[in-house]
Amino acid sequence: MGKKVNHPSRRSFVRNSLGALAAFTIVPRHVLGRGYLAPSDTLTKGVVGTGGMGRGHFGYAGTRVVAICDVDKGHIQQAMNQLGDKGVKTFSDYRELIQLPEVDIVHVATPPHWHGIIAADAARAGKDVWCEKPMTATIGEGKRLVEAVQQHGRIFRLNTWFRFADRFYGMGTTVHPIKKLVESGLLGWPLKVTVSRHTGFDWKFFWVGKTNLEPQAVPKELDYDMWLGPAPYKPYHPHRVHNNFRGYWDYDGGGLGDMGQHYLDPVQYFLGKDDTSPVKVEIDAPQQHSDAVGTWRKITYTYADGCQIVLDGAGTETGAAYIEGPNGKLFPGFKSTIPDLEKKLAAFPDPAPQVTDFVDAVKNRKKFALNEENGHRSCTIVNIGKVALQLGRDLQFDPVKQEFVNDEGANRLLFPAFRGPWTI
């Protein structure tokens, strides 16, 4: 009670308050130097491709759109209507957008035949990259993209998230307990994974192309030559572009291209195959058209250790478990033939943690959970299946060299020639 209290003078209070305030002030990026991002900053984003997918990710937490690019003026207008008057810059050529010094992240939301080129160019321009799935349309482009990201020290995110978040389609659970079950060894080894409508996965066979397209006039708002980009020239028809491009081999691979990486990346993860690929792919499918994607009945991938992934397109595997091993089976809803499975699993350690916040990964230069390396490997599963379907035959694959074994025809499809002047 009798202790003397020293009250600060107004001058010293103001001086100390200003010093404390300065310690918490956001430092402008240009003061910190090029390439350094203050942890408190909001990341700026340039979006290439402003169709439904591009516009759907404008509001990702911790980011702000400062530039957009599209070859369709109608898409640009829709995007600007959504963004409002916020000083967002617009472009029709992505090469201008990726040179903007104010852009931290380039979000690639184009059709897949553009993914590799734009993402690699963005990495070389010093940008971090958020890329839609499938990561690339071919295995060769994937290898080049991995090189570009790593040579330029960029952070890369592939936008499928089921290895670390959300309920995994019809399985009725996240992938986390599935990964824990596989790592526990309770199912035994090797494992067979069946991906079909009976285990909760729809292969979307409505993504098929048409073989009788009559050439039509290109709409005035669309730069069709730029939309095609590296793909072979084909006369314009509205069924080729925008909402239907997945039905044509030049741009994607039907339901396999659309959903394959969503479904198969988590399988690669919980099987522990992030650094390898299947050694064999077998197909059961009608002969495919050279241009228009068709359907298939079954695609079977086999790894060197005997693990298999079966894609059941025809839905014939009516009683198949999602995962089957020598010691047990796992069905949708995390139901199992192993008694008291959840109680037994509680005794095992959880899977290793993952970096799942992309904003944090960029700010602190941490490798994201689904990155250029493991993303390329899960995209390779999709792409070797596409090659087998196009050629109509089973194939052997070397996961180290990342090429087909003793098959010149298949290896030509690893990296088909781009239409000039495009390169990666």
Side-chain angles (χ1 to χ4, degrees):
M1 291 286 293
K3 189 175 181 179
K4 183 179 179 180
V5 178
N6 292 317
H7 296 283
S9 68
R10 180 179 182 276
R11 180 177 296 174
S12 64
F13 174 80
V14 170
R15 182 176 62 248
N16 293 337
S17 298
L18 288 174
L21 180 62
F24 290 98
T25 299
I26 296 175
V27 181
R29 190 172 310 156
H30 69 271
V31 173
L32 294 167
R34 182 172 176 80
Y36 185 90
L37 186 66
S40 51
D41 272 3
T42 295
L43 296 171
T44 56
K45 184 166 61 177
V47 181
V48 183
T50 57
M53 188 60 67
R55 296 197 305 273
H57 289 85
F58 280 170
Y60 187 80
T63 68
R64 176 171 57 90
V65 176
V66 297
I68 59 175
C69 175
D70 204 290
V71 297
D72 189 318
K73 294 177 182 177
H75 282 184
I76 290 287
Q77 187 58 59
Q78 286 179 290
M80 292 304 288
N81 292 343
Q82 181 175 331
L83 290 166
D85 185 13
K86 298 178 181 177
V88 175
K89 296 179 180 179
T90 64
F91 301 92
S92 60
D93 189 326
Y94 78 91
R95 292 170 293 188
E96 297 178 72
L97 180 147
I98 65 174
Q99 295 302 324
L100 293 176
E102 63 266 34
V103 169
D104 297 318
I105 300 165
V106 172
H107 179 190
V108 184
T110 62
H113 69 291
W114 266 116
H115 286 181
I117 291 176
I118 297 174
D121 281 351
R124 295 182 187 113
K127 310 303 181 185
D128 296 315
V129 179
W130 175 321
C131 186
E132 293 302 319
K133 53 76 194 168
M135 181 171 147
T136 57
T138 68
I139 295 168
E141 291 170 71
K143 292 171 69 175
R144 292 283 179 87
L145 177 51
V146 170
E147 292 168 1
V149 169
Q150 295 184 348
Q151 286 173 1
H152 294 270
R154 308 324 304 162
I155 303 299
F156 181 94
R157 171 185 177 159
L158 184 64
N159 195 31
T160 178
W161 51 90
F162 293 102
R163 69 163 57 205
F164 56 82
D166 283 2
R167 192 179 72 171
F168 188 37
Y169 293 97
M171 285 304 294
T173 179
T174 64
V175 169
H176 182 272
I178 302 176
K179 173 72 167 172
K180 185 172 182 176
L181 171 60
V182 171
E183 289 187 338
S184 74
L186 290 172
L187 293 174
W189 201 264
L191 300 176
K192 181 175 82 169
V193 179
T194 301
V195 186
S196 76
R197 65 174 182 260
H198 302 298
T199 56
F201 303 88
D202 176 12
W203 280 110
K204 293 189 177 181
F205 281 148
F206 52 78
W207 291 129
V208 294
K210 296 181 178 181
T211 60
N212 58 347
L213 300 180
E214 293 290 334
Q216 296 191 20
V218 179
K220 64 180 185 302
E221 68 271 13
L222 175 66
D223 183 343
Y224 181 56
D225 185 70
M226 191 66 170
W227 188 93
L228 287 172
Y233 177 80
K234 302 284 175 64
Y236 172 81
H237 189 282
H239 200 263
R240 283 193 174 280
V241 303
H242 295 344
N243 296 329
N244 298 301
F245 64 82
R246 296 195 189 279
Y248 299 90
W249 293 116
D250 288 344
Y251 325 122
D252 199 6
L256 179 61
D258 181 24
M259 301 308 295
Q261 213 158 3
H262 273 325
Y263 295 169
L264 299 177
D265 179 75
V267 177
Q268 172 182 274
Y269 165 64
F270 65 64
L271 289 179
K273 305 297 187 185
D274 274 341
D275 60 353
T276 190
S277 300
V279 297
K280 181 168 65 175
V281 57
E282 301 166 278
I283 61 162
D284 176 10
Q287 181 62 51
Q288 300 290 305
H289 189 270
S290 60
D291 180 33
V293 179
T295 63
W296 40 268
R297 291 177 289 270
K298 185 182 290 187
I299 304 173
T300 303
Y301 301 94
T302 304
Y303 288 88
D305 63 358
C307 283
Q308 287 191 324
I309 305 174
V310 178
L311 313 186
D312 177 22
T316 57
E317 305 286 328
T318 54
Y322 178 61
I323 307 177
E324 179 177 350
N327 301 333
K329 300 178 182 181
L330 181 72
F331 296 89
F334 214 68
K335 297 176 182 178
S336 177
T337 56
I338 299 175
D340 301 317
L341 177 60
E342 293 190 25
K343 183 178 180 181
K344 290 175 180 176
L345 271 182
F348 291 90
D350 286 331
Q354 305 177 78
V355 177
T356 60
D357 184 328
F358 184 62
V359 169
D360 178 64
V362 170
K363 288 182 177 180
N364 294 293
R365 313 315 291 168
K366 300 176 184 175
K367 207 171 189 70
F368 189 72
L370 182 50
N371 49 66
E372 73 283 358
E373 290 181 311
N374 52 24
H376 170 56
R377 285 293 184 175
S378 56
C379 193
T380 294
I381 303 174
V382 174
N383 284 332
I384 63 176
K386 284 168 51 182
V387 172
L389 287 171
Q390 287 177 279
L391 294 176
R393 60 176 180 264
D394 302 341
L395 299 169
Q396 306 286 328
F397 189 75
D398 184 330
V400 177
K401 295 180 179 179
Q402 297 186 56
E403 61 185 38
F404 295 100
V405 179
N406 300 324
D407 197 317
E408 184 179 345
N411 282 327
R412 281 199 293 267
L413 295 179
L414 286 174
F415 206 163
F418 288 154
R419 191 169 65 105
W422 302 105
T423 61
I424 182 170

